[in-house]
Amino acid sequence: MDVNSEEAYKLLQKNKEIVLLDVRTFDEFELGYIKGALNIDFYQPDFWEKILQFECGKTYLIYCRTQNRSTSVVDFMIENGFENIYKMTDGFTGWFSNNLPIEE
């Protein structure tokens, strides 16, 4: 399901069980990230294998800088049996632009 950054913020406030995946590079992550996010660099050779290690039954919120990488990740996860997935359509750029809290 597509959500914007403000909707994503509300989801994270309501459901502390959501697994928050940041698929930006390590360098991008180091510049700022959403509290509680797990960073898995999309460009690492073992990226897809790491994604498949997650539990299909959990709820995930995926984000990148904009939405290009996260779209690929969400499509892959759906193809591999994951059902409860949110994609942040405006990415970290939108989160930052909306002055939502970040960790540095």
Side-chain angles (χ1 to χ4, degrees), residues 40-53:
I40 303 175
D41 185 339
F42 183 83
Y43 297 110
Q44 291 300 306
D46 62 347
F47 175 81
W48 301 110
E49 292 153 24
K50 287 182 178 178
I51 293 298
L52 290 174
Q53 291 174 4

Side-chain angles (χ1 to χ4, degrees), residues 1 7 18 41-42 54 58-59 65 67 70-71 75 82 85 92 95 97-98 100 104:
M1 175 183 288
E7 293 166 329
I18 292 177
D41 185 339
F42 183 83
F54 287 102
K58 291 192 174 190
T59 301
R65 188 176 57 84
Q67 72 168 330
S70 60
T71 297
D75 290 346
F82 291 81
I85 308 170
F92 189 76
W95 185 279
S97 296
N98 286 318
L100 296 167
E104 296 184 73

Side-chain angles (χ1 to χ4, degrees), residues 3 11 18 27 35 38-39 55-56 61 68 74 76 96:
V3 294
L11 276 172
I18 292 177
D27 289 339
K35 184 177 182 177
L38 300 171
N39 178 232
E55 292 179 45
C56 288
L61 174 58
N68 295 326
V74 168
F76 176 82
F96 186 79

Side-chain angles (χ1 to χ4, degrees), residues 62-90:
I62 316 296
Y63 75 94
C64 60
R65 188 176 57 84
T66 54
Q67 72 168 330
N68 295 326
R69 290 170 277 184
S70 60
T71 297
S72 296
V73 174
V74 168
D75 290 346
F76 176 82
M77 290 177 81
I78 290 169
E79 289 169 11
N80 285 279
F82 291 81
E83 295 179 5
N84 302 311
I85 308 170
Y86 293 94
K87 176 182 68 177
M88 194 161 63
T89 56
D90 53 352

